[in-house]
Amino acid sequence: MVVRDAQVVRAMTYVAASDQVMAEVLGVLSRKRPVFAPVPVGNGQYRLEGAAEWEAGRHTVGPYRTVEPLKELVFPPREFLGKLWAEEERNRIEERMVVGVKNCDLSALRIHDYVFRDSDPEDPRYTALRRSTLIVSADCMDCLPVCFCPAVGEQPYPKGGFDINLSRVGEAWLVEAGSEKGDLALAAARDLMEEATAEMVRRRDDARQAMHARVERQARESGLVPGSDFQVAFRKSFESDLWADFAGDCVECGACNFVCGTCHCFMLGDGYAEDNLPARVREWDSCLFRNFARVAGGANPREHRAARLRNRFDKKFNFFVEVLGAPACGGCGRCIEACMGKIDIREVLRRMQDEG
Ligand code: SF4
Ligand code: SF4
């Protein structure tokens, strides 16, 4: 880990003096691995797009999170399991890097790690994809109108979980290694950068505080109170009418689950691969779908939509607080943008707050 005090910064934090130098560093890092990075799509949003290597002028670090959640790189929407992922195939997963990951996505990986890697039995496919991914995160430099991370205890910059983190400081970039893997990768580009000074780190921290204050202000303007105990609020509002009120607008499209960086439910299906041999497939599932909890014989413990909507909040703001000490929501606001029923998670949380 990087260790620092007021005056001393160890050699694992560097400065890339300009955008051009930063692009050269990313070019060097991508020589050994394909890259996924934000690409602007012209409506203020950024898509996460892959390429054989870093393409300066097309790829960016991105000012805020992409449309797609990071989870799709380690937990793909649809993947073959039974036939393709024998042990020897798993070992053939190629190294890749993902650039510009923001904290809402990075913190969401804690949930996937808990479910797929750290629980028994471990999912070897997930672990292999996770291990083969070099994560180059970045501080948020701007925010979308739907961002509210400080309201759920997060912040617009990473505190850990990255291999390398990039922070804009004036015209330059602070480049911080957060793991041995990141440090080793940066060694190849070491000659392009200077060692960071304590003054650069101080300026980075000032910029972080300013960004944090901005998103926190936005969260407060939406009616949320940072520091609220949503677990208590959820438990107290369990029998409230609020679930039926919001569920009336839900059309069960599943978009809120699919775009969410923390949602991880899936179903398994058996079919045939392209060569006509039997294959098992894993696909994302949605807890809002009517038959999500249906069991053999047709019984359905969450037959009503209100119960399914409540279950989504139960999992995010009660269960994961219980087992991991933090909600399974990074405040990215993707579900707000995706919901065709115009259900805004901030309004649901606010009503939970009011009734809790
Ligand atoms: S619940 Fe909504 S705001 Fe929270 S992480 Fe998922 S998509 Fe983002
Ligand atoms: S995105 Fe909205 S309409 Fe679609 S399932 Fe989720 S809550 Fe329901």
Side-chain angles (χ1 to χ4, degrees):
M1 290 295 292
V2 176
V3 177
R4 71 172 67 87
D5 61 31
Q7 298 300 322
V8 181
V9 179
R10 278 180 43 180
M12 288 165 72
T13 305
Y14 307 104
V15 171
S18 64
D19 287 349
Q20 190 182 332
V21 176
M22 191 68 257
E24 286 174 32
V25 171
L26 291 168
V28 170
L29 294 181
S30 73
R31 268 184 214 147
K32 288 192 176 165
R33 41 184 87 78
V35 61
F36 294 83
V39 171
V41 286
N43 57 356
Q45 299 278 7
Y46 289 73
R47 300 288 311 271
L48 187 61
E49 291 189 9
E53 60 184 30
W54 178 262
E55 294 176 18
R58 175 170 171 252
H59 288 143
T60 69
V61 171
Y64 34 72
R65 52 93 178 149
T66 52
V67 172
E68 304 85 352
L70 174 64
K71 72 174 177 185
E72 66 179 38
L73 291 188
V74 289
F75 174 49
R78 187 170 198 267
E79 62 181 331
F80 285 102
L81 296 173
K83 177 173 171 282
L84 290 180
W85 300 114
E87 193 168 347
E88 61 275 15
E89 293 290 342
R90 275 202 308 273
N91 294 337
R92 262 185 241 142
I93 292 171
E94 65 176 355
E95 291 280 321
R96 67 262 174 93
M97 77 170 180
V98 54
V99 177
V101 176
K102 304 304 182 294
N103 182 60
C104 49
D105 273 326
L106 203 54
S107 60
L109 279 189
R110 284 200 303 263
I111 306 298
H112 293 273
D113 288 349
Y114 171 82
V115 173
F116 296 115
R117 189 190 66 186
D118 304 335
S119 296
D120 190 20
E122 173 198 14
D123 179 334
R125 169 75 177 154
Y126 174 85
T127 302
L129 285 170
R130 184 84 164 84
R131 200 183 299 124
S132 67
T133 307
L134 182 80
I135 296 180
V136 183
S137 56
D139 297 2
C140 289
M141 295 171 269
D142 198 353
C143 62
L144 290 161
V146 291
C147 295
F148 61 95
C149 61
V152 286
E154 292 293 340
Q155 66 293 318
Y157 56 88
K159 287 184 174 174
F162 56 86
D163 296 305
I164 297 169
N165 186 65
L166 312 178
S167 312
R168 190 92 159 117
V169 182
E171 298 297 306
W173 293 83
L174 203 69
V175 181
E176 180 180 2
S179 71
E180 199 177 345
K181 186 161 72 169
D183 202 34
L184 283 172
L186 279 178
R190 175 75 187 85
D191 292 347
L192 294 167
M193 300 179 288
E194 305 291 323
E195 271 189 37
T197 61
E199 170 62 12
M200 282 294 282
V201 174
R202 189 192 60 72
R203 289 178 61 199
R204 189 268 316 263
D205 291 348
D206 288 348
R208 283 179 166 183
Q209 277 179 22
M211 193 66 219
H212 187 279
R214 185 175 153 201
V215 195
E216 184 173 298
R217 201 162 48 244
Q218 180 166 288
R220 284 185 190 279
E221 283 165 6
S222 74
L224 295 175
V225 181
S228 295
D229 189 334
F230 290 119
Q231 186 182 37
V232 168
F234 173 80
R235 289 178 176 180
K236 286 189 173 167
S237 57
F238 193 81
E239 301 292 350
S240 163
D241 290 340
L242 82 88
W243 308 110
D245 292 348
F246 283 104
D249 291 329
C250 172
V251 296
E252 302 181 32
C253 65
C256 52
N257 296 114
F258 299 151
V259 295
C260 178
T262 69
C263 283
H264 49 269
C265 289
F266 61 86
M267 58 185 169
L268 296 172
D270 291 331
Y272 293 93
E274 286 165 356
D275 57 8
N276 258 348
L277 288 172
R280 174 156 284 190
V281 176
R282 171 163 68 187
E283 292 179 328
W284 289 357
D285 201 355
S286 163
C287 58
L288 272 300
F289 288 166
R290 181 173 186 181
N291 288 333
F292 177 81
R294 194 173 63 121
V295 294
N300 190 341
R302 288 193 290 278
E303 194 174 350
H304 298 290
R305 210 184 298 135
R308 298 197 289 281
L309 185 69
R310 183 175 64 186
N311 173 68
R312 177 168 154 79
F313 283 78
D314 191 346
K315 194 89 182 291
K316 288 187 179 305
F317 296 97
N318 186 29
F319 174 78
F320 275 103
V321 174
E322 196 75 44
V323 298
L324 286 182
C329 172
C332 71
R334 283 187 178 103
C335 56
I336 302 168
E337 291 178 330
C339 181
M340 62 178 75
K342 303 280 181 231
I343 299 173
D344 186 326
I345 188 172
R346 295 168 299 186
E347 287 174 19
V348 181
L349 292 174
R350 197 170 57 223
R351 214 165 135 195
M352 264 169 53
Q353 261 174 197
D354 292 347
E355 299 190 13

